[in-house]
Amino acid sequence: MDRGRVYNSFRNFLFGAFSQIAALLLAFIVRSVFIRYLSLSYLGLNGLFTNVLTILSLAELGFGTVMIHALYRPLAENNEEKIQAYMQFYAKVYRVIGLIVAFAGIALMPFLDYLIKGREAIDINIELLYGLYLLESVSSYFFAYKRSILNADQKAYICSWVHFKILVIRSVLQILVLILFQDFICYILIQILSTFLENVYLSYKVNRMYPYLKIRQKIRLTKEELNSIKKNVYALILSNIGRVTIKGSSNIIISAFVGITVVGLYSNYVMITGAVIMILSQVFSAMTGSVGNFLAKEDSSKHLELFERLDFLNFWLYGVCGICIYVFINPVIGVWIGKEFTLDKVVVLVISLNFVLEGFLYSLWLFRSTMGLFVQGKYRPIFSAIINICVSVFLGHSWGIVGVLLGTTVARLAVNAWYDPYIIYKYGLSTSVFSYYKAYLYRFALIALIVVGSDFLIGEYVNNLDWLRLMGIIIGYVFLLNVFMVLVFRRNQSFIYYQSLVVSVFNKLKKG
């Protein structure tokens, strides 16, 4: 990628990573106060309703991804009229989606009792609480389309910076409400208001940056463009069914078969792993606009090299973090809120494995979406969703939370882990995929070896440390783990590229 793209990617990453790290710290503080002043069941409700609304987000059909892809070329060509046409169409569709989600969410309300095992322990109006979560979700659809042009135009850092400022205000207010009133309803109302203000402010910002979007003239897309959108959205409907089912069903099944309190315990792990995923995803979401721009402009012979470099970086980041999650997440939760909030090590192993699998699939999704490969393999998510639900329900009865989470593992290994790269290599890169399979078998074996070795050497020791010593061990472990990775991959071409990139940056800093 040229300097402009690298600069835009780095800027997006810098702002995104900073806001996500700050969000993680604030989330820890808010969660600590939450657990002290409210019961664990409320955490379970938060996780359950979030998953329910994730399922309802299927109404979005992947339309946002398709529209971002459609905007790459007109933005690269500075075609204001075409950008207007896409954004007007986008706004109309999202208003309809918001209404569909609202009606579907209301229709689901009478069935909440069937999703909550242990409701008798909760002294709050469940329907009112669910209605507030639904209101927050629905309101976002009437503004969120404005974010797409910033993401497509390599300006995702603006969204990150606005989100950070709103998040700080929201966290402070929520902490005050929890301490002074111990009121969960007020806690959620602050969350709704902050989401609304963030969306309104971003909408105002986009109108100022792209003033031609405010011009009141109806510009229609051509029949060919509409057909292309319909074809890609249809393919993404199926893709979203698989993605949303895998991400959105776990808490619902755990709540229904194991209990809402277990959802509360699991939600602490989801918060930590989710925060790490959000930070790491900034690396790649920061590049999305630049990658789309690169694929739209550069010769196809350079696409494979770019994919291999990004995929290697993806493996390194998610691999290292996945190992650290397995080794340290229980000690961190034990020191943070108490050992009584920790889950069994087998559960942690499955959580870590799902984290790594999700991360490894991220670079594949980045390339599929920027290449516009929405139609190819469009039925595979249906198989993934069916496998996930069947295995989760079947194993959940006998194995509890481990069985539910294994449903996600089995679904990803059986479908996505091998078929997604096949689609990219065959239809996007026009070359054999076997080199990718070989590389990932080696990488998984390496991660398994490191996990077994780490468990043997420091597994029990890290469970009995205070904050200061635990942080010291984590920093030292991460350093040694990366040194080990450098020794293993020092001759890898992608590693050599990043090494030379880092060296050139340091040399420039010395001269400057």
Side-chain angles (χ1 to χ4, degrees), residues 136-412:
E136 180 187 13
S137 176
V138 169
S139 66
S140 295
Y141 287 103
F142 292 88
F143 296 97
Y145 71 96
K146 289 289 183 73
R147 294 173 184 263
S148 63
I149 193 169
L150 295 173
N151 290 325
D153 202 21
Q154 308 175 63
K155 292 182 173 66
Y157 70 93
I158 294 173
C159 297
S160 300
W161 184 237
V162 171
H163 178 69
F164 167 71
K165 290 188 287 187
I166 296 291
L167 182 65
V168 171
I169 298 170
R170 185 184 87 183
S171 299
V172 171
L173 291 175
Q174 286 182 323
I175 289 170
L176 288 173
V177 163
L178 288 172
I179 294 173
L180 296 175
F181 306 109
Q182 295 89 53
D183 192 319
F184 191 45
I185 296 295
C186 288
Y187 175 92
I188 296 302
L189 285 172
I190 291 170
Q191 186 171 302
I192 294 170
L193 182 60
S194 64
T195 300
F196 178 76
L197 290 175
E198 181 180 338
N199 286 325
V200 169
Y201 182 74
L202 274 175
S203 178
Y204 166 76
K205 191 85 173 175
V206 167
N207 286 339
R208 288 192 62 186
M209 293 174 64
Y210 307 90
Y212 53 85
L213 294 179
K214 296 187 294 181
I215 299 173
R216 295 186 177 278
Q217 58 174 338
K218 290 186 177 181
I219 305 174
R220 298 184 181 277
L221 295 172
T222 65
K223 187 176 181 180
E224 291 75 17
E225 288 164 342
L226 287 172
N227 287 336
S228 175
I229 291 171
K230 289 176 184 176
K231 182 177 70 172
N232 288 333
V233 166
Y234 173 69
L236 273 182
I237 292 173
L238 304 176
S239 178
N240 270 18
I241 289 173
R243 179 182 61 82
V244 168
T245 301
I246 287 177
K247 289 186 73 69
S249 63
S250 295
N251 278 348
I252 296 173
I253 297 173
I254 294 170
S255 176
F257 292 107
V258 186
I260 196 69
T261 303
V262 178
V263 176
L265 291 173
Y266 176 56
S267 70
N268 292 320
Y269 290 78
V270 172
M271 188 196 79
I272 294 173
T273 56
V276 176
I277 287 173
M278 288 297 289
I279 292 170
L280 294 182
S281 68
Q282 290 300 321
V283 177
F284 299 96
S285 61
M287 298 178 186
T288 302
S290 300
V291 171
N293 183 273
F294 179 94
L295 296 176
K297 287 187 173 182
E298 301 295 340
D299 187 83
S300 59
S301 61
K302 299 178 181 178
H303 294 179
L304 176 60
E305 185 179 54
L306 177 63
F307 173 77
E308 288 178 341
R309 288 173 179 173
L310 293 182
D311 185 64
F312 178 79
L313 178 64
N314 188 61
F315 150 71
W316 189 300
L317 293 175
Y318 279 95
V320 167
C321 289
I323 294 167
C324 291
I325 285 170
Y326 174 74
V327 176
F328 295 112
I329 195 167
N330 263 357
V332 166
I333 289 177
V335 174
W336 169 35
I337 51 178
K339 290 186 178 181
E340 66 272 21
F341 290 91
T342 59
L343 294 169
D344 189 80
K345 201 63 182 284
V346 178
V347 181
V348 174
L349 178 62
V350 180
I351 289 172
S352 305
L353 180 56
N354 285 339
F355 171 89
V356 171
L357 285 171
E358 181 178 354
F360 285 0
L361 293 171
Y362 197 92
S363 59
L364 299 174
W365 173 244
L366 170 63
F367 258 74
R368 280 196 69 206
S369 60
T370 50
M371 285 179 164
L373 301 175
F374 303 118
V375 176
Q376 295 80 0
K378 60 187 177 183
Y379 294 111
R380 91 208 183 294
I382 301 297
F383 294 109
S384 181
I386 293 171
I387 292 170
N388 179 64
I389 292 176
C390 290
V391 174
S392 292
V393 171
F394 178 74
L395 294 182
H397 274 291
S398 52
W399 292 1
I401 185 173
V402 173
V404 176
L405 298 180
L406 275 174
T408 301
T409 310
V410 172
R412 283 177 174 155

Side-chain angles (χ1 to χ4, degrees), residues 41-55:
S41 298
Y42 289 122
L43 280 181
L45 286 174
N46 180 70
L48 172 63
F49 291 157
T50 300
N51 271 198
V52 169
L53 293 172
T54 299
I55 298 291

Side-chain angles (χ1 to χ4, degrees), residues 4-211:
R5 296 193 193 103
V6 171
Y7 171 75
N8 287 327
S9 296
F10 180 73
R11 180 175 56 178
N12 289 334
F13 164 70
L14 195 64
F15 276 84
F18 172 77
S19 70
Q20 290 302 331
I21 292 171
L24 174 59
L25 295 174
L26 288 169
F28 265 102
I29 296 169
V30 174
R31 181 63 62 95
S32 300
V33 176
F34 190 108
I35 290 170
R36 181 175 178 180
Y37 289 97
L38 294 176
S39 75
L40 193 62
S41 298
Y42 289 122
L43 280 181
L45 286 174
N46 180 70
L48 172 63
F49 291 157
T50 300
N51 271 198
V52 169
L53 293 172
T54 299
I55 298 291
L56 291 179
S57 72
L58 273 173
E60 198 265 353
L61 306 177
F63 190 78
T65 302
V66 172
M67 292 309 300
I68 289 174
H69 175 262
L71 284 167
Y72 287 140
R73 188 167 294 280
L75 282 167
E77 297 171 352
N78 199 29
N79 188 338
E80 294 183 0
E81 186 173 291
K82 190 59 64 179
I83 295 169
Q84 271 186 286
Y86 276 116
M87 292 298 287
Q88 287 175 10
F89 180 67
Y90 197 180
K92 289 177 184 176
V93 172
Y94 254 45
R95 290 188 194 106
V96 174
I97 290 171
L99 293 173
I100 292 172
V101 171
F103 286 120
I106 293 169
L108 186 63
M109 199 172 286
F111 303 96
L112 291 178
D113 278 344
Y114 298 100
L115 301 179
I116 304 173
K117 185 178 180 180
R119 173 173 179 167
E120 60 278 359
I122 303 168
D123 58 346
I124 197 170
N125 188 318
I126 299 292
E127 286 72 22
L128 172 62
L129 185 61
Y130 170 74
L132 292 174
Y133 275 89
L134 181 62
L135 176 63
E136 180 187 13
S137 176
V138 169
S139 66
S140 295
Y141 287 103
F142 292 88
F143 296 97
Y145 71 96
K146 289 289 183 73
R147 294 173 184 263
S148 63
I149 193 169
L150 295 173
N151 290 325
D153 202 21
Q154 308 175 63
K155 292 182 173 66
Y157 70 93
I158 294 173
C159 297
S160 300
W161 184 237
V162 171
H163 178 69
F164 167 71
K165 290 188 287 187
I166 296 291
L167 182 65
V168 171
I169 298 170
R170 185 184 87 183
S171 299
V172 171
L173 291 175
Q174 286 182 323
I175 289 170
L176 288 173
V177 163
L178 288 172
I179 294 173
L180 296 175
F181 306 109
Q182 295 89 53
D183 192 319
F184 191 45
I185 296 295
C186 288
Y187 175 92
I188 296 302
L189 285 172
I190 291 170
Q191 186 171 302
I192 294 170
L193 182 60
S194 64
T195 300
F196 178 76
L197 290 175
E198 181 180 338
N199 286 325
V200 169
Y201 182 74
L202 274 175
S203 178
Y204 166 76
K205 191 85 173 175
V206 167
N207 286 339
R208 288 192 62 186
M209 293 174 64
Y210 307 90

